[in-house]
PDB file of all heavy atoms in Angstrom:
ATOM      1  N   GLU A   1      19.079   0.547  -7.048  1.00  0.00           N
ATOM      2  CA  GLU A   1      19.317   1.769  -7.828  1.00  0.00           C
ATOM      3  C   GLU A   1      19.633   2.966  -6.928  1.00  0.00           C
ATOM      4  O   GLU A   1      20.516   3.764  -7.248  1.00  0.00           O
ATOM      5  CB  GLU A   1      18.142   2.102  -8.701  1.00  0.00           C
ATOM      6  CG  GLU A   1      17.980   1.152  -9.910  1.00  0.00           C
ATOM      7  CD  GLU A   1      16.745   1.447 -10.720  1.00  0.00           C
ATOM      8  OE1 GLU A   1      15.960   2.349 -10.356  1.00  0.00           O
ATOM      9  OE2 GLU A   1      16.608   0.791 -11.793  1.00  0.00           O
ATOM     10  N   GLU A   2      18.954   3.100  -5.841  1.00  0.00           N
ATOM     11  CA  GLU A   2      19.072   4.302  -4.986  1.00  0.00           C
ATOM     12  C   GLU A   2      20.185   4.185  -3.999  1.00  0.00           C
ATOM     13  O   GLU A   2      20.819   5.216  -3.650  1.00  0.00           O
ATOM     14  CB  GLU A   2      17.746   4.541  -4.207  1.00  0.00           C
ATOM     15  CG  GLU A   2      16.609   4.913  -5.166  1.00  0.00           C
ATOM     16  CD  GLU A   2      15.325   5.352  -4.390  1.00  0.00           C
ATOM     17  OE1 GLU A   2      15.371   5.330  -3.135  1.00  0.00           O
ATOM     18  OE2 GLU A   2      14.368   5.741  -5.026  1.00  0.00           O
ATOM     19  N   SER A   3      20.470   2.933  -3.502  1.00  0.00           N
ATOM     20  CA  SER A   3      21.444   2.829  -2.397  1.00  0.00           C
ATOM     21  C   SER A   3      22.598   1.866  -2.663  1.00  0.00           C
ATOM     22  O   SER A   3      23.544   1.818  -1.913  1.00  0.00           O
ATOM     23  CB  SER A   3      20.720   2.395  -1.149  1.00  0.00           C
ATOM     24  OG  SER A   3      20.281   1.030  -1.257  1.00  0.00           O
ATOM     25  N   GLY A   4      22.438   1.035  -3.721  1.00  0.00           N
ATOM     26  CA  GLY A   4      23.449  -0.008  -3.997  1.00  0.00           C
ATOM     27  C   GLY A   4      23.331  -1.233  -3.138  1.00  0.00           C
ATOM     28  O   GLY A   4      24.165  -2.154  -3.215  1.00  0.00           O
ATOM     29  N   VAL A   5      22.332  -1.309  -2.263  1.00  0.00           N
ATOM     30  CA  VAL A   5      22.114  -2.429  -1.361  1.00  0.00           C
ATOM     31  C   VAL A   5      21.288  -3.518  -2.085  1.00  0.00           C
ATOM     32  O   VAL A   5      20.230  -3.212  -2.684  1.00  0.00           O
ATOM     33  CB  VAL A   5      21.421  -2.004  -0.065  1.00  0.00           C
ATOM     34  CG1 VAL A   5      21.052  -3.206   0.776  1.00  0.00           C
ATOM     35  CG2 VAL A   5      22.277  -1.051   0.666  1.00  0.00           C
ATOM     36  N   ARG A   6      21.795  -4.760  -1.992  1.00  0.00           N
ATOM     37  CA  ARG A   6      21.071  -5.891  -2.581  1.00  0.00           C
ATOM     38  C   ARG A   6      20.050  -6.430  -1.591  1.00  0.00           C
ATOM     39  O   ARG A   6      20.328  -6.545  -0.366  1.00  0.00           O
ATOM     40  CB  ARG A   6      22.042  -7.018  -2.946  1.00  0.00           C
ATOM     41  CG  ARG A   6      23.034  -6.655  -4.060  1.00  0.00           C
ATOM     42  CD  ARG A   6      22.356  -6.643  -5.434  1.00  0.00           C
ATOM     43  NE  ARG A   6      23.298  -6.404  -6.527  1.00  0.00           N
ATOM     44  CZ  ARG A   6      22.937  -6.338  -7.794  1.00  0.00           C
ATOM     45  NH1 ARG A   6      21.633  -6.387  -8.146  1.00  0.00           N
ATOM     46  NH2 ARG A   6      23.808  -6.117  -8.739  1.00  0.00           N
ATOM     47  N   VAL A   7      18.834  -6.771  -2.122  1.00  0.00           N
ATOM     48  CA  VAL A   7      17.773  -7.271  -1.232  1.00  0.00           C
ATOM     49  C   VAL A   7      17.368  -8.677  -1.665  1.00  0.00           C
ATOM     50  O   VAL A   7      17.267  -9.008  -2.786  1.00  0.00           O
ATOM     51  CB  VAL A   7      16.527  -6.400  -1.286  1.00  0.00           C
ATOM     52  CG1 VAL A   7      15.397  -6.913  -0.539  1.00  0.00           C
ATOM     53  CG2 VAL A   7      16.916  -4.962  -0.851  1.00  0.00           C
ATOM     54  N   GLY A   8      17.124  -9.539  -0.627  1.00  0.00           N
ATOM     55  CA  GLY A   8      16.720 -10.922  -0.904  1.00  0.00           C
ATOM     56  C   GLY A   8      15.213 -11.066  -0.700  1.00  0.00           C
ATOM     57  O   GLY A   8      14.423 -10.623  -1.546  1.00  0.00           O
ATOM     58  N   LYS A   9      14.859 -11.686   0.381  1.00  0.00           N
ATOM     59  CA  LYS A   9      13.428 -11.987   0.601  1.00  0.00           C
ATOM     60  C   LYS A   9      12.611 -10.687   0.739  1.00  0.00           C
ATOM     61  O   LYS A   9      13.009  -9.742   1.462  1.00  0.00           O
ATOM     62  CB  LYS A   9      13.231 -12.847   1.888  1.00  0.00           C
ATOM     63  CG  LYS A   9      11.786 -13.226   2.184  1.00  0.00           C
ATOM     64  CD  LYS A   9      11.705 -14.020   3.485  1.00  0.00           C
ATOM     65  CE  LYS A   9      10.288 -14.381   3.805  1.00  0.00           C
ATOM     66  NZ  LYS A   9      10.180 -15.099   5.123  1.00  0.00           N
ATOM     67  N   VAL A  10      11.434 -10.666   0.114  1.00  0.00           N
ATOM     68  CA  VAL A  10      10.520  -9.495   0.190  1.00  0.00           C
ATOM     69  C   VAL A  10       9.131  -9.990   0.583  1.00  0.00           C
ATOM     70  O   VAL A  10       8.649 -10.966   0.087  1.00  0.00           O
ATOM     71  CB  VAL A  10      10.470  -8.775  -1.140  1.00  0.00           C
ATOM     72  CG1 VAL A  10       9.375  -7.638  -1.124  1.00  0.00           C
ATOM     73  CG2 VAL A  10      11.764  -8.193  -1.548  1.00  0.00           C
ATOM     74  N   ASP A  11       8.517  -9.334   1.578  1.00  0.00           N
ATOM     75  CA  ASP A  11       7.175  -9.624   2.025  1.00  0.00           C
ATOM     76  C   ASP A  11       6.327  -8.353   1.971  1.00  0.00           C
ATOM     77  O   ASP A  11       6.831  -7.288   2.219  1.00  0.00           O
ATOM     78  CB  ASP A  11       7.190 -10.148   3.474  1.00  0.00           C
ATOM     79  CG  ASP A  11       7.899 -11.470   3.634  1.00  0.00           C
ATOM     80  OD1 ASP A  11       7.606 -12.374   2.799  1.00  0.00           O
ATOM     81  OD2 ASP A  11       8.743 -11.610   4.525  1.00  0.00           O
ATOM     82  N   TYR A  12       5.073  -8.549   1.646  1.00  0.00           N
ATOM     83  CA  TYR A  12       4.097  -7.458   1.661  1.00  0.00           C
ATOM     84  C   TYR A  12       3.645  -7.154   3.038  1.00  0.00           C
ATOM     85  O   TYR A  12       3.349  -8.139   3.847  1.00  0.00           O
ATOM     86  CB  TYR A  12       2.902  -7.822   0.718  1.00  0.00           C
ATOM     87  CG  TYR A  12       1.725  -6.845   0.857  1.00  0.00           C
ATOM     88  CD1 TYR A  12       1.790  -5.637   0.197  1.00  0.00           C
ATOM     89  CD2 TYR A  12       0.606  -7.194   1.570  1.00  0.00           C
ATOM     90  CE1 TYR A  12       0.710  -4.727   0.331  1.00  0.00           C
ATOM     91  CE2 TYR A  12      -0.461  -6.336   1.666  1.00  0.00           C
ATOM     92  CZ  TYR A  12      -0.436  -5.124   1.052  1.00  0.00           C
ATOM     93  OH  TYR A  12      -1.469  -4.221   1.187  1.00  0.00           O
ATOM     94  N   LEU A  13       3.471  -5.941   3.431  1.00  0.00           N
ATOM     95  CA  LEU A  13       2.965  -5.566   4.731  1.00  0.00           C
ATOM     96  C   LEU A  13       1.547  -4.937   4.681  1.00  0.00           C
ATOM     97  O   LEU A  13       0.621  -5.517   5.209  1.00  0.00           O
ATOM     98  CB  LEU A  13       3.932  -4.509   5.344  1.00  0.00           C
ATOM     99  CG  LEU A  13       5.287  -5.073   5.779  1.00  0.00           C
ATOM    100  CD1 LEU A  13       6.215  -3.888   6.189  1.00  0.00           C
ATOM    101  CD2 LEU A  13       5.172  -6.125   6.868  1.00  0.00           C
ATOM    102  N   THR A  14       1.422  -3.782   4.012  1.00  0.00           N
ATOM    103  CA  THR A  14       0.107  -3.127   3.971  1.00  0.00           C
ATOM    104  C   THR A  14       0.215  -2.046   2.901  1.00  0.00           C
ATOM    105  O   THR A  14       1.231  -1.904   2.203  1.00  0.00           O
ATOM    106  CB  THR A  14      -0.218  -2.500   5.322  1.00  0.00           C
ATOM    107  OG1 THR A  14      -1.557  -1.976   5.298  1.00  0.00           O
ATOM    108  CG2 THR A  14       0.754  -1.325   5.632  1.00  0.00           C
ATOM    109  N   SER A  15      -0.873  -1.358   2.665  1.00  0.00           N
ATOM    110  CA  SER A  15      -0.917  -0.360   1.607  1.00  0.00           C
ATOM    111  C   SER A  15      -1.565   0.931   2.107  1.00  0.00           C
ATOM    112  O   SER A  15      -2.311   0.938   3.133  1.00  0.00           O
ATOM    113  CB  SER A  15      -1.654  -0.818   0.378  1.00  0.00           C
ATOM    114  OG  SER A  15      -3.027  -1.145   0.676  1.00  0.00           O
ATOM    115  N   GLN A  16      -1.351   2.034   1.407  1.00  0.00           N
ATOM    116  CA  GLN A  16      -1.923   3.332   1.755  1.00  0.00           C
ATOM    117  C   GLN A  16      -2.237   4.088   0.439  1.00  0.00           C
ATOM    118  O   GLN A  16      -1.372   4.355  -0.319  1.00  0.00           O
ATOM    119  CB  GLN A  16      -0.978   4.174   2.608  1.00  0.00           C
ATOM    120  CG  GLN A  16      -1.586   5.522   3.000  1.00  0.00           C
ATOM    121  CD  GLN A  16      -0.599   6.429   3.737  1.00  0.00           C
ATOM    122  OE1 GLN A  16       0.539   6.530   3.357  1.00  0.00           O
ATOM    123  NE2 GLN A  16      -1.060   7.033   4.780  1.00  0.00           N
ATOM    124  N   PRO A  17      -3.493   4.429   0.276  1.00  0.00           N
ATOM    125  CA  PRO A  17      -3.841   5.412  -0.795  1.00  0.00           C
ATOM    126  C   PRO A  17      -3.111   6.690  -0.514  1.00  0.00           C
ATOM    127  O   PRO A  17      -3.176   7.217   0.617  1.00  0.00           O
ATOM    128  CB  PRO A  17      -5.380   5.528  -0.757  1.00  0.00           C
ATOM    129  CG  PRO A  17      -5.806   4.375   0.087  1.00  0.00           C
ATOM    130  CD  PRO A  17      -4.748   4.049   1.001  1.00  0.00           C
ATOM    131  N   TRP A  18      -2.505   7.258  -1.550  1.00  0.00           N
ATOM    132  CA  TRP A  18      -1.752   8.492  -1.370  1.00  0.00           C
ATOM    133  C   TRP A  18      -2.176   9.469  -2.421  1.00  0.00           C
ATOM    134  O   TRP A  18      -1.739   9.422  -3.555  1.00  0.00           O
ATOM    135  CB  TRP A  18      -0.220   8.217  -1.368  1.00  0.00           C
ATOM    136  CG  TRP A  18       0.622   9.309  -0.942  1.00  0.00           C
ATOM    137  CD1 TRP A  18       1.521  10.030  -1.710  1.00  0.00           C
ATOM    138  CD2 TRP A  18       0.735   9.846   0.335  1.00  0.00           C
ATOM    139  NE1 TRP A  18       2.195  10.977  -0.950  1.00  0.00           N
ATOM    140  CE2 TRP A  18       1.751  10.868   0.309  1.00  0.00           C
ATOM    141  CE3 TRP A  18       0.128   9.567   1.588  1.00  0.00           C
ATOM    142  CZ2 TRP A  18       2.112  11.598   1.451  1.00  0.00           C
ATOM    143  CZ3 TRP A  18       0.511  10.260   2.692  1.00  0.00           C
ATOM    144  CH2 TRP A  18       1.471  11.276   2.631  1.00  0.00           C
ATOM    145  N   PRO A  19      -3.113  10.379  -2.140  1.00  0.00           N
ATOM    146  CA  PRO A  19      -3.716  11.229  -3.176  1.00  0.00           C
ATOM    147  C   PRO A  19      -2.934  12.466  -3.573  1.00  0.00           C
ATOM    148  O   PRO A  19      -3.444  13.536  -3.668  1.00  0.00           O
ATOM    149  CB  PRO A  19      -5.033  11.593  -2.479  1.00  0.00           C
ATOM    150  CG  PRO A  19      -4.669  11.742  -1.042  1.00  0.00           C
ATOM    151  CD  PRO A  19      -3.698  10.658  -0.802  1.00  0.00           C
ATOM    152  N   PHE A  20      -1.606  12.247  -3.812  1.00  0.00           N
ATOM    153  CA  PHE A  20      -0.725  13.398  -4.125  1.00  0.00           C
ATOM    154  C   PHE A  20       0.113  13.083  -5.371  1.00  0.00           C
ATOM    155  O   PHE A  20       1.308  13.013  -5.298  1.00  0.00           O
ATOM    156  CB  PHE A  20       0.150  13.734  -2.903  1.00  0.00           C
ATOM    157  CG  PHE A  20      -0.618  13.986  -1.675  1.00  0.00           C
ATOM    158  CD1 PHE A  20      -0.580  12.987  -0.641  1.00  0.00           C
ATOM    159  CD2 PHE A  20      -1.388  15.132  -1.501  1.00  0.00           C
ATOM    160  CE1 PHE A  20      -1.318  13.199   0.519  1.00  0.00           C
ATOM    161  CE2 PHE A  20      -2.087  15.336  -0.313  1.00  0.00           C
ATOM    162  CZ  PHE A  20      -2.059  14.379   0.684  1.00  0.00           C
ATOM    163  N   PRO A  21      -0.502  12.970  -6.586  1.00  0.00           N
ATOM    164  CA  PRO A  21      -1.917  13.165  -6.851  1.00  0.00           C
ATOM    165  C   PRO A  21      -2.715  11.881  -6.721  1.00  0.00           C
ATOM    166  O   PRO A  21      -3.875  11.975  -6.376  1.00  0.00           O
ATOM    167  CB  PRO A  21      -1.941  13.681  -8.298  1.00  0.00           C
ATOM    168  CG  PRO A  21      -0.754  13.053  -8.908  1.00  0.00           C
ATOM    169  CD  PRO A  21       0.331  12.922  -7.858  1.00  0.00           C
ATOM    170  N   ALA A  22      -2.182  10.682  -7.096  1.00  0.00           N
ATOM    171  CA  ALA A  22      -3.054   9.502  -7.072  1.00  0.00           C
ATOM    172  C   ALA A  22      -2.164   8.251  -7.126  1.00  0.00           C
ATOM    173  O   ALA A  22      -2.023   7.631  -8.162  1.00  0.00           O
ATOM    174  CB  ALA A  22      -4.015   9.518  -8.219  1.00  0.00           C
ATOM    175  N   SER A  23      -1.601   7.878  -6.002  1.00  0.00           N
ATOM    176  CA  SER A  23      -0.736   6.728  -5.888  1.00  0.00           C
ATOM    177  C   SER A  23      -1.281   5.710  -4.885  1.00  0.00           C
ATOM    178  O   SER A  23      -2.076   6.086  -4.001  1.00  0.00           O
ATOM    179  CB  SER A  23       0.683   7.090  -5.472  1.00  0.00           C
ATOM    180  OG  SER A  23       1.318   7.995  -6.427  1.00  0.00           O
ATOM    181  N   LEU A  24      -0.850   4.437  -5.033  1.00  0.00           N
ATOM    182  CA  LEU A  24      -1.172   3.484  -4.002  1.00  0.00           C
ATOM    183  C   LEU A  24       0.227   3.035  -3.471  1.00  0.00           C
ATOM    184  O   LEU A  24       1.001   2.411  -4.205  1.00  0.00           O
ATOM    185  CB  LEU A  24      -1.946   2.303  -4.563  1.00  0.00           C
ATOM    186  CG  LEU A  24      -2.266   1.199  -3.540  1.00  0.00           C
ATOM    187  CD1 LEU A  24      -3.136   1.718  -2.379  1.00  0.00           C
ATOM    188  CD2 LEU A  24      -2.878   0.001  -4.269  1.00  0.00           C
ATOM    189  N   MET A  25       0.529   3.370  -2.237  1.00  0.00           N
ATOM    190  CA  MET A  25       1.808   2.996  -1.646  1.00  0.00           C
ATOM    191  C   MET A  25       1.671   1.555  -1.098  1.00  0.00           C
ATOM    192  O   MET A  25       0.869   1.267  -0.238  1.00  0.00           O
ATOM    193  CB  MET A  25       2.098   3.899  -0.440  1.00  0.00           C
ATOM    194  CG  MET A  25       2.064   5.370  -0.790  1.00  0.00           C
ATOM    195  SD  MET A  25       3.277   5.902  -2.053  1.00  0.00           S
ATOM    196  CE  MET A  25       4.777   5.713  -1.120  1.00  0.00           C
ATOM    197  N   LEU A  26       2.523   0.688  -1.651  1.00  0.00           N
ATOM    198  CA  LEU A  26       2.549  -0.761  -1.269  1.00  0.00           C
ATOM    199  C   LEU A  26       3.711  -1.000  -0.294  1.00  0.00           C
ATOM    200  O   LEU A  26       4.842  -0.989  -0.702  1.00  0.00           O
ATOM    201  CB  LEU A  26       2.698  -1.604  -2.522  1.00  0.00           C
ATOM    202  CG  LEU A  26       1.567  -1.429  -3.543  1.00  0.00           C
ATOM    203  CD1 LEU A  26       1.930  -2.157  -4.835  1.00  0.00           C
ATOM    204  CD2 LEU A  26       0.278  -1.913  -2.996  1.00  0.00           C
ATOM    205  N   GLY A  27       3.361  -1.051   0.931  1.00  0.00           N
ATOM    206  CA  GLY A  27       4.406  -1.209   2.019  1.00  0.00           C
ATOM    207  C   GLY A  27       4.945  -2.602   2.061  1.00  0.00           C
ATOM    208  O   GLY A  27       4.197  -3.565   2.149  1.00  0.00           O
ATOM    209  N   CYS A  28       6.268  -2.786   1.964  1.00  0.00           N
ATOM    210  CA  CYS A  28       6.917  -4.082   1.991  1.00  0.00           C
ATOM    211  C   CYS A  28       8.024  -4.145   2.941  1.00  0.00           C
ATOM    212  O   CYS A  28       8.582  -3.080   3.386  1.00  0.00           O
ATOM    213  CB  CYS A  28       7.417  -4.404   0.599  1.00  0.00           C
ATOM    214  SG  CYS A  28       6.164  -4.465  -0.701  1.00  0.00           S
ATOM    215  N   ARG A  29       8.452  -5.355   3.319  1.00  0.00           N
ATOM    216  CA  ARG A  29       9.586  -5.566   4.181  1.00  0.00           C
ATOM    217  C   ARG A  29      10.591  -6.408   3.339  1.00  0.00           C
ATOM    218  O   ARG A  29      10.246  -7.378   2.740  1.00  0.00           O
ATOM    219  CB  ARG A  29       9.173  -6.337   5.434  1.00  0.00           C
ATOM    220  CG  ARG A  29      10.320  -6.765   6.318  1.00  0.00           C
ATOM    221  CD  ARG A  29       9.829  -7.309   7.659  1.00  0.00           C
ATOM    222  NE  ARG A  29       8.717  -8.274   7.472  1.00  0.00           N
ATOM    223  CZ  ARG A  29       8.016  -8.703   8.511  1.00  0.00           C
ATOM    224  NH1 ARG A  29       8.283  -8.339   9.774  1.00  0.00           N
ATOM    225  NH2 ARG A  29       7.049  -9.571   8.337  1.00  0.00           N
ATOM    226  N   GLY A  30      11.861  -6.007   3.376  1.00  0.00           N
ATOM    227  CA  GLY A  30      12.857  -6.729   2.648  1.00  0.00           C
ATOM    228  C   GLY A  30      14.105  -6.955   3.467  1.00  0.00           C
ATOM    229  O   GLY A  30      14.457  -6.136   4.360  1.00  0.00           O
ATOM    230  N   GLU A  31      14.761  -8.105   3.276  1.00  0.00           N
ATOM    231  CA  GLU A  31      15.946  -8.470   3.972  1.00  0.00           C
ATOM    232  C   GLU A  31      17.196  -8.101   3.120  1.00  0.00           C
ATOM    233  O   GLU A  31      17.344  -8.626   2.009  1.00  0.00           O
ATOM    234  CB  GLU A  31      15.989  -9.943   4.316  1.00  0.00           C
ATOM    235  CG  GLU A  31      14.798 -10.362   5.242  1.00  0.00           C
ATOM    236  CD  GLU A  31      14.816 -11.827   5.518  1.00  0.00           C
ATOM    237  OE1 GLU A  31      15.715 -12.534   5.010  1.00  0.00           O
ATOM    238  OE2 GLU A  31      13.915 -12.330   6.272  1.00  0.00           O
ATOM    239  N   ALA A  32      18.040  -7.257   3.630  1.00  0.00           N
ATOM    240  CA  ALA A  32      19.235  -6.860   2.910  1.00  0.00           C
ATOM    241  C   ALA A  32      20.277  -7.957   2.869  1.00  0.00           C
ATOM    242  O   ALA A  32      20.525  -8.653   3.906  1.00  0.00           O
ATOM    243  CB  ALA A  32      19.839  -5.584   3.534  1.00  0.00           C
ATOM    244  N   LEU A  33      20.866  -8.189   1.704  1.00  0.00           N
ATOM    245  CA  LEU A  33      21.923  -9.184   1.554  1.00  0.00           C
ATOM    246  C   LEU A  33      23.290  -8.579   1.660  1.00  0.00           C
ATOM    247  O   LEU A  33      24.279  -9.287   1.948  1.00  0.00           O
ATOM    248  CB  LEU A  33      21.756  -9.908   0.191  1.00  0.00           C
ATOM    249  CG  LEU A  33      20.436 -10.611  -0.064  1.00  0.00           C
ATOM    250  CD1 LEU A  33      20.433 -11.169  -1.486  1.00  0.00           C
ATOM    251  CD2 LEU A  33      20.184 -11.777   0.976  1.00  0.00           C
ATOM    252  N   THR A  34      23.325  -7.258   1.393  1.00  0.00           N
ATOM    253  CA  THR A  34      24.619  -6.543   1.500  1.00  0.00           C
ATOM    254  C   THR A  34      24.369  -5.287   2.325  1.00  0.00           C
ATOM    255  O   THR A  34      23.171  -4.905   2.538  1.00  0.00           O
ATOM    256  CB  THR A  34      25.126  -6.140   0.146  1.00  0.00           C
ATOM    257  OG1 THR A  34      24.172  -5.291  -0.560  1.00  0.00           O
ATOM    258  CG2 THR A  34      25.343  -7.359  -0.729  1.00  0.00           C
ATOM    259  N   GLU A  35      25.424  -4.624   2.738  1.00  0.00           N
ATOM    260  CA  GLU A  35      25.216  -3.422   3.542  1.00  0.00           C
ATOM    261  C   GLU A  35      26.008  -2.200   3.072  1.00  0.00           C
ATOM    262  O   GLU A  35      25.727  -1.080   3.529  1.00  0.00           O
ATOM    263  CB  GLU A  35      25.578  -3.677   5.024  1.00  0.00           C
ATOM    264  CG  GLU A  35      27.010  -4.109   5.290  1.00  0.00           C
ATOM    265  CD  GLU A  35      27.224  -4.443   6.750  1.00  0.00           C
ATOM    266  OE1 GLU A  35      26.663  -5.487   7.213  1.00  0.00           O
ATOM    267  OE2 GLU A  35      27.971  -3.653   7.378  1.00  0.00           O
ATOM    268  N   GLU A  36      26.885  -2.372   2.132  1.00  0.00           N
ATOM    269  CA  GLU A  36      27.660  -1.222   1.630  1.00  0.00           C
ATOM    270  C   GLU A  36      26.714  -0.326   0.835  1.00  0.00           C
ATOM    271  O   GLU A  36      25.949  -0.789  -0.006  1.00  0.00           O
ATOM    272  CB  GLU A  36      28.824  -1.708   0.726  1.00  0.00           C
ATOM    273  CG  GLU A  36      29.627  -0.517   0.251  1.00  0.00           C
ATOM    274  CD  GLU A  36      30.785  -0.934  -0.594  1.00  0.00           C
ATOM    275  OE1 GLU A  36      31.059  -2.178  -0.672  1.00  0.00           O
ATOM    276  OE2 GLU A  36      31.462  -0.065  -1.203  1.00  0.00           O
ATOM    277  N   ILE A  37      26.747   1.011   1.118  1.00  0.00           N
ATOM    278  CA  ILE A  37      25.849   1.932   0.487  1.00  0.00           C
ATOM    279  C   ILE A  37      26.593   2.726  -0.583  1.00  0.00           C
ATOM    280  O   ILE A  37      27.676   3.297  -0.325  1.00  0.00           O
ATOM    281  CB  ILE A  37      25.260   2.895   1.509  1.00  0.00           C
ATOM    282  CG1 ILE A  37      24.332   2.065   2.490  1.00  0.00           C
ATOM    283  CG2 ILE A  37      24.473   4.060   0.866  1.00  0.00           C
ATOM    284  CD1 ILE A  37      23.840   2.935   3.624  1.00  0.00           C
ATOM    285  N   THR A  38      26.003   2.784  -1.761  1.00  0.00           N
ATOM    286  CA  THR A  38      26.475   3.659  -2.839  1.00  0.00           C
ATOM    287  C   THR A  38      25.261   4.362  -3.412  1.00  0.00           C
ATOM    288  O   THR A  38      24.466   3.752  -4.188  1.00  0.00           O
ATOM    289  CB  THR A  38      27.167   2.838  -3.964  1.00  0.00           C
ATOM    290  OG1 THR A  38      28.248   2.092  -3.415  1.00  0.00           O
ATOM    291  CG2 THR A  38      27.707   3.822  -5.016  1.00  0.00           C
ATOM    292  N   ILE A  39      25.033   5.616  -3.070  1.00  0.00           N
ATOM    293  CA  ILE A  39      23.780   6.268  -3.381  1.00  0.00           C
ATOM    294  C   ILE A  39      23.812   6.789  -4.809  1.00  0.00           C
ATOM    295  O   ILE A  39      24.867   7.028  -5.482  1.00  0.00           O
ATOM    296  CB  ILE A  39      23.468   7.473  -2.463  1.00  0.00           C
ATOM    297  CG1 ILE A  39      24.537   8.617  -2.644  1.00  0.00           C
ATOM    298  CG2 ILE A  39      23.367   7.055  -1.037  1.00  0.00           C
ATOM    299  CD1 ILE A  39      24.095   9.855  -1.982  1.00  0.00           C
ATOM    300  N   ASP A  40      22.578   6.920  -5.399  1.00  0.00           N
ATOM    301  CA  ASP A  40      22.445   7.589  -6.692  1.00  0.00           C
ATOM    302  C   ASP A  40      22.100   9.002  -6.323  1.00  0.00           C
ATOM    303  O   ASP A  40      20.968   9.314  -5.835  1.00  0.00           O
ATOM    304  CB  ASP A  40      21.250   6.932  -7.429  1.00  0.00           C
ATOM    305  CG  ASP A  40      20.946   7.653  -8.730  1.00  0.00           C
ATOM    306  OD1 ASP A  40      21.562   8.666  -9.020  1.00  0.00           O
ATOM    307  OD2 ASP A  40      20.029   7.187  -9.450  1.00  0.00           O
ATOM    308  N   PRO A  41      23.026   9.970  -6.593  1.00  0.00           N
ATOM    309  CA  PRO A  41      22.730  11.363  -6.183  1.00  0.00           C
ATOM    310  C   PRO A  41      21.543  11.999  -6.855  1.00  0.00           C
ATOM    311  O   PRO A  41      21.055  13.029  -6.389  1.00  0.00           O
ATOM    312  CB  PRO A  41      24.042  12.055  -6.525  1.00  0.00           C
ATOM    313  CG  PRO A  41      24.702  11.199  -7.574  1.00  0.00           C
ATOM    314  CD  PRO A  41      24.293   9.813  -7.210  1.00  0.00           C
ATOM    315  N   ALA A  42      21.117  11.420  -7.991  1.00  0.00           N
ATOM    316  CA  ALA A  42      19.881  11.941  -8.606  1.00  0.00           C
ATOM    317  C   ALA A  42      18.666  11.597  -7.847  1.00  0.00           C
ATOM    318  O   ALA A  42      17.586  12.232  -8.045  1.00  0.00           O
ATOM    319  CB  ALA A  42      19.810  11.426 -10.081  1.00  0.00           C
TER     320      ALA A  42
END
């Protein structure tokens, strides 16, 4: 949605509580299948 890049394999890395105001950031690693970028300006 944000970049137009397609992603294949996804692995979990780690997490971080983010109290602004109350999120849990789930850090992941993904392998891009494409590289052309088309951003969503919003």
Side-chain angles (χ1 to χ4, degrees):
E1 288 178 354
E2 294 187 358
S3 70
V5 173
R6 295 285 186 182
V7 175
K9 182 182 178 183
V10 174
D11 295 311
Y12 170 78
L13 292 173
T14 189
S15 62
Q16 180 185 44
W18 192 246
F20 307 106
S23 299
L24 179 63
M25 308 296 291
L26 300 171
C28 298
R29 171 171 49 187
E31 297 178 2
L33 301 176
T34 61
E35 59 183 70
E36 182 179 352
I37 294 174
T38 304
I39 66 166
D40 177 358

